[in-house]
Amino acid sequence: ELLRLAPGQAAAGVANFSNPAVEVKDSGGFNRRFALCAAVAEGELLFACRAWCVARREELLNVALQRFREEPVGETMCWSGKGEVSFAECFKIGDAGDTLDAPRVGAILRRCAVVLDTMPGKNGILEEQEEMAGVWLPMVFMSHSCLPNVQYHVFGDFLVCRAARAMPAGKDLFYSWVSPLQPMHLRRSGIQERFVPRPCDCPRCKLEAFVTDRRATEDLLLRMDDQLF
């Protein structure tokens, strides 16, 4: 039934799940992160949850603000596994959520929202679809890597996250904030424009920067685009 859901459609009758091997850890200051307190196997389910909010990308801020007004952020729990943290702590919006700073919430959403991929239509051909985005609270705790160690899939408004490979206890969890299929210069520019004002320095980017020439890569991709399109 989940496979039949359109992007953003409510997944009725499914329960959230949190693996006890995943915990929220304090990184100092206001930072939190997801880490493993026990080893996990490749493909093991880490968590599964409904979206806190999901909407067309241009409408996501208004939907989130309405959600805040309906449910005080201090009462919304982000994670039900080890290291339970409130939404107020996670987003640092205020103890009781009495005052909503829309620009601040918008900036947080730009960092935390997951944009849903366009799904192939009939015969595998991509169809025009409205771009959907949502906030899945566990994803807020994960930082970026172009070589992610988790894989996630979204069915309607239900996100399922699994271990991309076997990992020992103590390992931090990462997903890619941009498409990992893009070349390095596009991944880095996308991260700098939307997330942090510095280039990605993950192990994959370090390796690609060492073995490839950016200008030659860009020229090759431009020639391929000309030939294909």
Side-chain angles (χ1 to χ4, degrees):
E1 293 297 325
L2 289 176
L3 295 175
R4 300 176 182 175
L5 296 176
Q9 183 178 349
V14 292
N16 293 346
F17 169 82
S18 57
N19 190 322
V22 180
E23 64 178 345
V24 179
K25 299 197 72 172
D26 207 328
S27 299
F30 294 103
N31 294 323
R32 306 284 194 275
R33 72 184 195 278
F34 258 175
L36 297 175
C37 58
V40 296
E42 180 179 354
E44 185 170 341
L45 183 61
L46 301 177
F47 59 84
C49 63
R50 296 278 301 277
W52 181 79
C53 69
V54 63
R56 291 197 298 269
R57 192 171 183 178
E58 65 272 14
E59 297 176 357
L60 188 62
L61 175 58
N62 290 333
V63 172
L65 291 173
Q66 183 60 35
R67 179 71 191 272
F68 279 131
R69 296 185 184 101
E70 294 172 352
E71 183 176 6
V73 293
E75 298 176 7
T76 303
M77 303 311 298
C78 296
W79 181 245
S80 58
K82 290 190 176 181
E84 190 173 78
V85 179
S86 75
F87 197 43
E89 290 179 282
C90 181
F91 272 13
K92 300 181 284 294
I93 295 175
D95 293 334
D98 295 329
T99 302
L100 286 175
D101 183 343
R104 179 173 177 77
V105 174
I108 293 170
L109 288 176
R110 284 192 293 274
R111 157 63 181 85
C112 297
V114 175
V115 178
L116 305 187
D117 291 335
T118 301
M119 300 299 291
K122 294 181 179 179
N123 301 319
I125 299 174
L126 291 177
E127 299 175 342
E128 289 294 326
Q129 294 185 357
E130 294 175 327
E131 192 171 46
M132 304 290 290
V135 175
W136 285 266
L137 299 179
M139 303 294 281
V140 175
F141 295 110
M142 284 192 284
S143 192
H144 165 80
S145 174
C146 295
L147 190 64
N149 55 14
V150 304
Q151 292 180 331
Y152 69 90
H153 301 279
V154 179
F155 307 95
D157 70 343
F158 194 71
L159 184 142
V160 176
C161 183
R162 296 182 179 275
R165 50 187 172 272
M167 291 179 282
K171 193 76 171 177
D172 284 358
L173 300 181
F174 300 92
Y175 78 102
S176 183
W177 294 347
V178 295
S179 172
L181 301 179
Q182 293 177 328
M184 181 187 65
H185 67 280
L186 293 181
R187 298 197 310 270
R188 281 184 161 180
S189 63
I191 291 169
Q192 287 180 272
E193 289 170 7
R194 184 180 169 193
F195 299 104
V196 293
R198 61 180 185 274
C200 177
D201 198 31
C202 72
R204 178 182 171 188
C205 283
K206 288 181 178 179
L207 175 62
E208 290 183 20
F210 180 75
V211 301
T212 62
D213 178 81
R214 171 173 174 167
R215 181 169 296 179
T217 301
E218 291 179 1
D219 290 344
L220 176 61
L221 291 172
L222 287 173
R223 290 200 302 273
M224 291 176 64
D225 283 345
D226 291 339
Q227 293 174 6
L228 293 173
F229 303 105

